[in-house]
Amino acid sequence: MTLTPSRHDAAVADLVGRYRALPPDTRVRLAKKTSNLFRFGDAQPTGLLDASALAGVISVDDVARTADVQGMTTYEDLVEATLPHRLMPLVVPQLKTITLGGAVTGLGIESTSFRHGLPHESVLEMDILTPEGELVTATPDGEHADLFAGFPNSYGTLGYALRLRIELQPVSPYVRLEHRRVSTEDLAATITEVCGPDGPDFVDGTVFEPGEQYLTLGTFTEDPGPGVSDYTGQQIFYRSIRERASDVLTVHDYIWRWDTDWFWCSRALGVQHPVVRRFWPRRYRRSDVYRRIVALDRRYGVSRLAHRVTRTPQEEPVIQDVEIPGDRLAEFLDAFHRDIGIRPVWLCPLRLRGERTWPLYPMQPDELYVNVGFWSGVPQVPGRPDAHNRRIEELVADLGGHKSLYSTVHYDEGEFWKHYNGPAYRALKQRYDPHGRQPDLYSKVTR
């Protein structure tokens, strides 16, 4: 939704007032209708803070190519507001209900990340409600520059972004795709080549089997040619990568190409069966619906019961995104295929936009990383229910990579802070949450 600045100011004043009225020892959590986290552990008691009035776009500036956006705005609504101006955010994470504030404090990625980095790198300023109840404006070089730099990957433990000003990029009505099959031996070198300064507008990849992988290169175009594909109906996007060398989508459908089937994960729910798909309402073919189904299964243990009844091994959910230095990608995939065996796997190259680094998710400037995403379950190792997730953490650390924190985390505390810059985090926590109103990052992602 769009709203006036005065309505935004009133919503902020109301939220800040309600936050300050909570007892000081209350652990606060923003109330949200949807979530894209995959940590399903029992949460500690919290005070739920309704922030639904902070879910709109305040303004879009066509000339400056910027937007002022409330922190709880979903990318679905943000894109709907910017596309009529022939603009879009520099990076739009794959799933419609990811919020702008969530992508900045919890990181995000997509096929423009080799060129534009991560979502927080296109933020110009943020209004942040700190755990102490103070409303501050954080900019790259202002009084709260430390919070601006440390907010990404803090997962709400340093405050909540209530307004963000972000950069936008111009778009064309269509995106032309090339699905290029690449050998295992040439994969890393080809990724480096296509992600050069003269590369396409979008790059990502799909590994279907060991030795069968494709890079998808996308380029904006004004001319759709003979036809435009639609993967919101009976056809399924990820299957088309194997079936056709080129394709054209509207820019809207390209942005949300992965949401309709949650990449490929809707198959586990039967949604890709032709008969089921025909009767599954189109409005329910979306990631937040599938995630709710998974959450209900985790809560009530339907899958666990089914495994007991059928006497099949219980499964360990392995739902992770990791960043691997490009020159170590082959090593990671080789070990992953051997030790984990999930397929397909998503690849998404990224690099920081410039020399600026971000303390809580340390990455080297000018280095090309490849995000590897895998979301499924594998048979548990008897007596070691987290064996596969721990193996991934070990492998990522050995290869000099990083692991996103939206899912399960098994590092011990010392190892965790070694990877996520404990000294920098503790300094921020002391300044912006000296009374411990919010849990620290390690406690939040591991409890």
Side-chain angles (χ1 to χ4, degrees):
M1 70 178 178
T2 57
L3 67 164
T4 63
S6 61
R7 283 183 60 192
H8 167 71
D9 292 342
V12 169
D14 175 66
L15 182 75
V16 172
R18 286 187 285 115
Y19 181 90
R20 291 173 177 171
L22 291 170
D25 59 349
T26 302
R27 289 286 175 88
V28 180
R29 180 164 61 89
L30 295 183
K32 297 176 64 175
K33 293 181 180 179
T34 61
S35 174
N36 289 283
L37 296 179
F38 271 80
R39 297 191 300 269
F40 291 96
D42 294 331
Q44 297 178 6
T46 60
L48 288 177
L49 200 62
D50 181 7
S52 57
L54 289 162
V57 177
I58 304 166
S59 64
V60 177
D61 187 328
D62 298 60
V63 177
R65 294 179 182 168
T66 62
D68 272 28
V69 186
Q70 294 181 310
M72 295 289 285
T73 306
T74 65
Y75 274 94
E76 181 176 26
D77 290 341
L78 177 53
V79 165
E80 183 179 352
T82 62
L83 282 187
H85 299 264
R86 292 191 56 143
L87 297 169
M88 65 177 274
L90 272 62
V91 180
V92 179
Q94 313 86 348
L95 307 180
K96 291 178 175 178
T97 57
I98 293 175
T99 63
L100 177 58
V104 171
T105 195
L107 305 186
I109 191 172
E110 237 296 326
S111 55
T112 56
S113 288
F114 76 98
R115 189 180 302 279
H116 298 302
L118 302 173
H120 59 267
E121 295 188 80
S122 57
V123 175
L124 301 172
E125 65 178 37
M126 295 180 278
D127 292 340
I128 298 173
L129 176 62
T130 73
E132 287 288 283
E134 183 182 4
L135 186 64
V136 304
T137 297
T139 60
D141 50 10
E143 177 186 359
H144 301 287
D146 57 344
L147 183 58
F148 183 90
F151 195 73
N153 208 42
S154 65
Y155 279 84
T157 64
L158 297 175
Y160 301 115
L162 305 188
R163 179 192 64 87
L164 305 96
R165 179 168 297 163
I166 62 169
E167 298 175 78
L168 304 173
Q169 64 171 318
V171 304
S172 297
Y174 305 98
V175 178
R176 188 175 302 281
L177 303 181
E178 174 194 354
H179 303 306
R180 184 187 300 180
R181 185 163 181 173
V182 183
S183 70
T184 301
E185 295 76 18
D186 294 337
L187 181 60
T190 304
I191 290 174
T192 300
E193 177 188 349
V194 300
C195 291
D198 299 322
D201 298 300
F202 307 93
V203 178
D204 67 347
T206 308
V207 181
F208 287 97
E209 302 282 347
E212 184 190 2
Q213 49 263 322
Y214 299 78
L215 293 180
T216 296
L217 315 183
T219 305
F220 283 124
T221 181
E222 299 288 326
D223 178 14
V228 178
S229 295
D230 178 3
Y231 295 104
T232 63
Q234 288 296 106
Q235 303 303 310
I236 297 169
F237 175 72
Y238 83 92
R239 293 182 181 174
S240 73
I241 295 171
R242 275 174 152 169
E243 296 165 354
R244 49 195 312 174
S246 61
D247 210 343
V248 177
L249 300 176
T250 67
V251 65
H252 176 275
D253 285 359
Y254 176 79
I255 289 170
W256 301 126
R257 69 202 183 283
W258 293 122
D259 190 86
T260 302
D261 283 288
W262 217 15
F263 286 82
W264 32 78
C265 299
S266 68
R267 65 184 179 181
L269 305 174
V271 182
Q272 295 180 26
H273 188 283
V275 176
V276 175
R277 196 173 188 85
R278 189 169 300 280
F279 291 98
W280 190 292
R282 186 180 292 231
R283 67 182 181 278
Y284 295 140
R285 293 180 205 150
R286 46 185 289 141
S287 59
D288 56 328
V289 172
Y290 309 140
R291 199 269 181 192
R292 288 192 190 102
I293 294 171
V294 172
L296 288 171
D297 178 61
R298 294 287 184 91
R299 178 180 298 175
Y300 296 110
V302 177
S303 295
R304 291 193 298 274
L305 177 61
H307 283 294
R308 285 200 296 269
V309 169
T310 59
R311 297 185 178 181
T312 54
Q314 294 291 336
E315 287 202 333
E316 175 187 353
V318 182
I319 300 170
Q320 304 284 356
D321 277 78
V322 300
E323 270 81 57
I324 304 298
D327 59 0
R328 311 297 298 273
L329 177 63
E331 294 174 73
F332 179 85
L333 289 177
D334 181 62
F336 182 86
H337 292 319
R338 182 185 67 243
D339 298 342
I340 310 298
I342 290 172
R343 56 197 66 159
V345 169
W346 186 55
L347 305 178
C348 187
L350 73 152
R351 63 163 63 90
L352 296 179
R353 287 181 71 187
E355 293 301 311
R356 184 184 187 110
T357 58
W358 306 85
L360 302 193
Y361 205 71
M363 298 172 67
Q364 295 299 317
D366 299 321
E367 179 159 3
L368 183 68
Y369 296 80
V370 179
N371 175 279
V372 186
F374 36 92
W375 318 287
S376 189
V378 296
Q380 283 185 0
V381 176
R384 298 172 58 207
D386 301 320
H388 296 91
N389 283 286
R390 291 180 184 275
R391 170 61 179 138
I392 288 164
E393 290 182 349
E394 174 188 81
L395 183 60
V396 170
D398 288 346
L399 297 178
H402 300 86
K403 166 186 148 74
S404 178
L405 301 177
Y406 73 85
S407 189
T408 55
V409 177
H410 303 280
Y411 294 121
D412 63 37
E413 190 165 4
E415 181 78 358
F416 178 87
W417 288 123
K418 184 173 73 173
H419 295 306
Y420 300 101
N421 201 339
Y425 181 80
R426 284 188 285 272
L428 289 164
K429 196 69 169 170
Q430 180 58 40
R431 180 178 181 187
Y432 294 101
D433 189 17
H435 298 101
R437 187 84 182 265
Q438 290 287 354
D440 72 13
L441 182 60
Y442 177 75
S443 299
K444 181 160 188 175
V445 303
T446 60
R447 70 187 180 197

